[in-house]
Amino acid sequence: MRIPPAEADETVTAVLQTIATLATAMGPALTRYVRDILDLMFTAGLSQALCDSLLVLEREVSQLQPAIQGRLLDMVSIILVGVPFRPSQQSLDDLEQRMGTMSMHYATAQNGHRSGAAANGNTANGASSRDAYAGSVSDSTSLVVRAANNIHVTNDTLVLALRTLRIFDFSEENLSEFVRNEILRYLTNSSAAVRKEAIHAVSHIVMADPLYRSMAGAGVEVASEVVQRLVSAAVIDVDRDVRLMAVQMLKKGICFDFHMGKAQNIQDLFLLLNDEVFEVRLTVLAVIGRLANMNPAHVMPSLRRMV
């Protein structure tokens, strides 16, 4: 007898909740049992129930954190990009950066039009390139990758994938190329909910990782590009909630001040003082006031004229 989809979803949710309850009760003693079923937990695809269960497992059975995060990154990357996540390879990343090219790993997905379809909100076309990728998957590919390739990508799925990057701590993994080449593309998605979650995700990743807080080094260019895109979203996005989210992240991100203090960014921020939404004007005024200490030569004259 075939189980109806609705009942199947309820069953999967109940199973995942049971695993989380057992993890809370047993703690590390559950490690060897969960390790055997971890891949099976992902076979129903990415869901809020899965994320909730995995958060509990990470907290109660910390030995599983690397395995959980590796599988999550693969699933999220396939949903957003069309290929599994590629861990940072410093020598290769440096070479691609000097050549001014995108990572060939993610460029492959774009050649298949997977990223372009999703980033522009055309999720219907995303399935074909995912199927093309799945066709090249070997028999040894994990259950996680196969399950991710079978996910029907909608705007809700994209929002959940981006939220997953925010609610889990991936600070042990270098997400620079992933953020720059892929996640930032979703700031121009046709769905306001996707754009808003993308802003929240990239801001969280950059603010949580010390790599991006320094004024020199590998994370500077990524942090600078993130700030420029956040400022642009705050100025030009047609959705008031997206603009508000962007300025709230700029207000929260004190570590962004080094990049926000640039003359062009300050000029763009002053444009937001004419925004139709009072909360946006109020929030950006707090940001500008903070930047007065960083770059008074560009902030104070405009601030005096405004006052």
Side-chain angles (χ1 to χ4, degrees):
M1 182 178 68
R2 187 178 182 84
I3 301 177
E7 293 184 17
D9 290 343
E10 292 178 1
T11 301
V12 170
T13 300
V15 170
L16 293 172
Q17 289 174 345
T18 300
I19 295 173
T21 303
L22 287 172
T24 302
M26 298 179 63
L30 196 67
T31 303
R32 66 190 182 103
Y33 302 105
V34 175
R35 198 180 297 278
D36 293 336
I37 64 171
L38 193 57
D39 283 344
L40 295 175
M41 293 175 65
F42 285 84
T43 53
L46 188 67
S47 65
Q48 189 59 55
L50 175 65
C51 291
D52 293 341
S53 181
L54 292 176
L55 282 171
V56 174
L57 284 176
E58 275 199 344
R59 184 182 70 243
E60 303 296 338
V61 192
S62 58
Q63 297 92 329
L64 294 175
Q65 182 174 357
I68 290 172
Q69 293 193 355
R71 288 162 173 77
L72 269 177
L73 283 173
D74 276 343
M75 180 161 280
V76 168
S77 182
I78 290 175
I79 292 172
L80 297 178
V81 188
V83 293
F85 179 75
R86 191 200 79 175
S88 176
Q89 301 175 32
Q90 190 62 43
S91 58
L92 181 57
D93 292 342
D94 290 345
L95 176 61
E96 289 169 345
Q97 184 176 3
R98 288 197 301 269
M99 294 175 64
T101 60
M102 177 185 298
S103 166
M104 292 302 296
H105 179 77
Y106 295 121
T108 301
Q110 291 192 11
N111 290 337
H113 304 291
R114 171 67 180 87
S115 294
N120 291 318
N122 187 5
T123 55
N125 293 336
S128 60
S129 54
R130 263 206 338 277
D131 292 341
Y133 177 80
S136 65
V137 170
S138 65
D139 292 337
S140 62
T141 302
S142 70
L143 291 174
V144 177
V145 174
R146 293 182 184 179
N149 279 312
N150 290 327
I151 294 175
H152 174 63
V153 178
T154 64
N155 285 333
D156 290 339
T157 310
L158 295 176
V159 168
L160 181 58
L162 292 165
R163 185 180 301 138
T164 300
L165 292 172
R166 173 169 59 86
I167 63 178
F168 285 86
D169 180 14
F170 293 112
S171 58
E172 295 298 320
E173 187 64 61
N174 187 346
L175 301 180
S176 295
E177 292 303 310
F178 192 52
V179 168
R180 171 186 281 180
N181 295 332
E182 303 305 334
I183 304 179
L184 284 178
R185 296 165 58 85
Y186 285 90
L187 268 64
T188 57
N189 190 276
S190 61
S191 167
V194 173
R195 297 197 303 274
K196 183 177 177 181
E197 194 59 53
I199 288 172
H200 207 168
V202 296
S203 301
H204 174 80
I205 291 171
V206 173
M207 286 189 287
D209 195 334
L211 172 69
Y212 306 106
R213 299 177 196 167
S214 61
M215 298 183 185
V220 172
E221 291 186 10
V222 176
S224 178
E225 187 169 351
V226 167
V227 169
Q228 289 177 4
R229 297 294 295 273
L230 289 180
V231 172
S232 295
V235 173
I236 68 176
D237 201 283
V238 297
D239 187 274
R240 57 180 291 163
D241 292 333
V242 175
R243 298 198 305 276
L244 181 59
M245 172 62 72
V247 295
Q248 285 175 339
M249 291 299 100
L250 292 174
K251 180 182 178 182
K252 183 179 179 182
I254 297 177
C255 59
F256 291 153
D257 285 0
F258 172 69
H259 304 287
M260 281 194 292
K262 295 178 181 178
Q264 183 59 54
N265 289 334
I266 291 175
Q267 182 179 343
D268 291 340
L269 287 173
F270 269 99
L271 294 176
L272 288 168
L273 294 175
N274 298 313
D275 194 276
E276 63 181 354
V277 180
F278 175 73
E279 290 87 349
V280 172
R281 300 197 302 272
L282 184 64
T283 305
V284 79
L285 189 59
V287 175
I288 291 173
R290 194 176 73 217
L291 293 178
N293 295 323
M294 174 69 66
N295 192 346
H298 284 91
V299 174
M300 297 308 295
S302 299
L303 201 55
R304 291 191 191 99
R305 285 195 296 270
M306 183 197 69
V307 173

